[in-house]
Amino acid sequence: MSEAATDFPRITRRTLHDEVLERVRDMIIEGRLEPGQRINEGQIGAQLGVSRTPMREAIKTLASEGLVEILPAKGAVVRKFSARDLYQVLEVLKALEQLGGQIACAEASDETIAAIHALHRRMLELYATRERLEYFKLNQAIHSAMVAASGNQVLLEMHGTLQSRIKRLRFIGNEGPEKWAGAVAEHEEMMAALLKRDAPALSAAIGKHMESTLTRVRGVL
């Protein structure tokens, strides 16, 4: 298969659940549904043109991801995070990504690393055109792909659970040109180390990125 053919993901059929889930998740990530806000199933369902059933299913999934809380007498609300919550999640994410990166440097195939690099190049294109939400989604996909390159499914599942939990916080952490540019530069360092299969350098770059993320996000909590 040519390199051009591998640059594009296969087209897959999306279910109504997938579509509604992504739309509501994006509303949370972008802040259209704010932390602590009650999610009105009927109102949002009407905006999206769907019934309460797919809305309820989407909310259940978002609750399992940690973006939504189901509270007695109040229903579903967008979860609020404290600075301590953020620190604890990022501390564990850093350890998981460093372990995944270490294994990937030693064991991932050249094709796998090339595919991650292709995602990185596409992310830089989105940064250049300032397509912020799509950039963010691809940014998160790169973090997941680096962990997946380890081949350790348990590691990937744990990472996915925690990464989903703080998507909104990481998104707002890149608000402003200086913060966004800093995050991109850190990704460049991570990718350079991965391409060289330099595990110590990758671990250091991941650590720097996570610590900088904490600083960027803590300022907007």
Side-chain angles (χ1 to χ4, degrees), residues 79-98:
R79 183 173 177 178
K80 286 183 178 180
F81 287 90
S82 67
R84 181 172 177 80
D85 293 332
L86 176 65
Y87 171 77
Q88 290 179 344
V89 172
L90 286 176
E91 188 175 38
V92 178
L93 274 176
K94 178 173 74 171
L96 295 177
E97 290 193 14
Q98 286 175 326

Side-chain angles (χ1 to χ4, degrees), residues 134-196:
E134 294 308 310
Y135 161 91
F136 173 76
K137 290 180 180 180
L138 195 51
N139 177 296
Q140 297 293 278
I142 290 169
H143 281 269
S144 296
M146 286 180 27
V147 173
S150 70
N152 187 315
Q153 188 61 33
V154 175
L155 185 62
L156 181 60
E157 289 173 3
M158 293 177 66
H159 178 267
T161 297
L162 292 177
Q163 181 166 253
S164 295
R165 194 169 296 173
I166 58 169
K167 280 183 177 178
R168 164 63 184 159
L169 293 177
R170 296 188 81 166
F171 180 75
I172 62 176
N174 285 341
E175 286 181 342
E178 186 175 344
K179 289 182 178 180
W180 196 356
V184 170
E186 289 154 17
H187 263 258
E188 290 270 47
E189 291 180 20
M190 290 160 57
M191 190 54 53
L194 179 63
L195 289 171
K196 294 176 183 176

Side-chain angles (χ1 to χ4, degrees), residues 13-160:
R13 248 171 227 235
R14 291 168 61 85
T15 65
L16 178 61
H17 170 74
D18 291 336
E19 294 286 355
V20 174
L21 175 61
E22 181 172 13
R23 293 287 292 278
V24 179
R25 187 191 286 122
D26 287 351
M27 292 172 77
I28 293 173
I29 290 172
E30 293 183 286
R32 285 178 284 164
L33 290 172
E34 298 179 351
Q37 180 178 343
R38 179 177 174 272
I39 300 176
N40 188 315
E41 295 175 6
Q43 182 181 35
I44 296 174
Q47 291 173 359
L48 299 180
V50 299
S51 68
R52 286 180 181 270
T53 299
M55 275 296 303
R56 285 171 183 159
E57 292 303 314
I59 287 170
K60 286 179 184 177
T61 301
L62 292 168
S64 71
E65 292 180 356
L67 287 173
V68 166
E69 291 180 298
I70 311 297
L71 301 179
K74 194 169 183 182
V77 299
V78 179
R79 183 173 177 178
K80 286 183 178 180
F81 287 90
S82 67
R84 181 172 177 80
D85 293 332
L86 176 65
Y87 171 77
Q88 290 179 344
V89 172
L90 286 176
E91 188 175 38
V92 178
L93 274 176
K94 178 173 74 171
L96 295 177
E97 290 193 14
Q98 286 175 326
L99 175 59
Q102 179 181 350
I103 299 172
C105 284
E107 300 182 10
S109 67
D110 291 341
E111 291 77 13
T112 295
I113 291 178
I116 297 172
H117 189 212
L119 293 176
H120 176 74
R121 293 198 304 270
R122 174 59 182 153
M123 186 192 77
L124 294 180
E125 292 172 3
L126 293 171
Y127 173 64
T129 55
R130 297 302 189 267
E131 296 176 60
R132 190 157 169 255
L133 181 58
E134 294 308 310
Y135 161 91
F136 173 76
K137 290 180 180 180
L138 195 51
N139 177 296
Q140 297 293 278
I142 290 169
H143 281 269
S144 296
M146 286 180 27
V147 173
S150 70
N152 187 315
Q153 188 61 33
V154 175
L155 185 62
L156 181 60
E157 289 173 3
M158 293 177 66
H159 178 267

